[in-house]
Amino acid sequence: MSNIKCIIVDDEPVAREILESHLAKIENVEILGSCKNAMEAFQIISSQEVDLIFLDINMPEISGLSLARSINKNIKIIFTTAYREYAVDGFDLQAVDYLLKPISFERLLQGVNKYLNETVHVPQEPLQKISSESAETFFVRSDRKMVKIDCDEILYIESMADYIRIFLKTKNVVTRETISNIEAKLPKNEFLRVHRSYIVAQNAIDSFTAEYVEIGKKQIPISRSYKNEVLKWLED
């Protein structure tokens, strides 16, 4: 399979960094450029063969929708935006996908595979991560900015109503998110849901009983609904 040649267009540096980080983990994806506005994107499109654009919608001067309307229809679009209300306009332009920020790696990979299935009219094996050995990261919104979370640094995660607190080795990060959404971003087999309000890093567990796991001086309860699964894993 030849590489998917793509560009990123977004006026927010952090948003571009997130996409660059995610795309670097996917096999057969080649980033031709990362652009902060439509004019930079036009320069790449006019000089190189581009297959796919990850395109923000709400940008100054020339919006993502205007850019999408003006380019060759053979170039496919995956819109990336924080605004759900633009979805209808995006799909009217026959976008491959519409990703809402903050964008998880898994959701981005799904979009790239959707592009592959729509453009290559024969069955394809889904693209995968380049290496499962590399450290997993994702971003969450905290204090009006996107903060990178390195999964290797997570000790445990606690849900607090509409917010969660991620306890890292060196700091804590609070974000408005559900614990289930965060759980979906974590590498499988490395984290353990022990309670509806707690996820723990398996490697961080210092000791346990039938009632709780202990990480440092923190005792984290094991709820009845998770007890059998948790104890089975811990006692194996």
Side-chain angles (χ1 to χ4, degrees), residues 164-219:
I164 64 166
R165 185 184 298 273
I166 303 173
F167 290 83
L168 304 169
K169 293 176 182 178
T170 57
K171 63 180 179 179
N172 301 334
V173 176
V174 177
T175 181
R176 187 179 179 87
E177 182 65 275
T178 68
I179 195 168
S180 295
N181 285 347
I182 291 295
E183 184 178 21
K185 299 177 182 180
L186 299 171
K188 292 179 174 60
N189 303 320
E190 295 181 23
F191 290 85
L192 196 61
R193 185 79 173 263
V194 299
H195 190 280
R196 68 177 183 177
S197 298
Y198 288 97
I199 298 171
V200 301
Q202 296 176 2
N203 289 338
I205 298 172
D206 295 313
S207 61
F208 70 92
T209 70
E211 307 301 326
Y212 62 83
V213 296
E214 197 166 59
I215 296 178
K217 296 181 179 180
K218 175 70 174 181
Q219 291 183 352

Side-chain angles (χ1 to χ4, degrees), residues 97-151:
D97 210 342
Y98 188 96
L99 309 182
L100 284 173
K101 300 175 181 177
I103 300 167
S104 69
F105 172 77
E106 289 77 9
R107 184 65 183 89
L108 182 70
L109 182 61
Q110 180 183 341
V112 174
N113 280 316
K114 188 175 180 182
Y115 158 82
L116 189 64
N117 290 332
E118 289 188 8
T119 56
V120 182
H121 300 295
V122 293
Q124 295 288 318
E125 288 295 322
L127 296 183
Q128 303 293 335
K129 290 181 292 186
I130 289 175
S131 172
S132 59
E133 296 177 357
S134 60
E136 291 281 357
T137 62
F138 60 91
F139 286 80
V140 297
R141 188 176 296 278
S142 181
D143 293 332
R144 300 184 180 180
K145 59 186 176 182
M146 301 301 293
V147 178
K148 180 187 285 187
I149 304 296
D150 186 336
C151 293

Side-chain angles (χ1 to χ4, degrees), residues 5-7 9 32-33 35 37-51 53 67 70-72 75:
K5 297 179 180 180
C6 68
I7 62 174
V9 188
L32 299 180
C35 310
N37 55 49
M39 294 308 298
E40 289 186 0
F42 277 127
Q43 291 177 0
I44 296 177
I45 292 168
S46 63
S47 62
Q48 300 187 60
E49 184 177 334
V50 177
D51 299 316
I53 303 177
L67 175 61
S70 65
I71 62 175
N72 189 313
I75 301 175

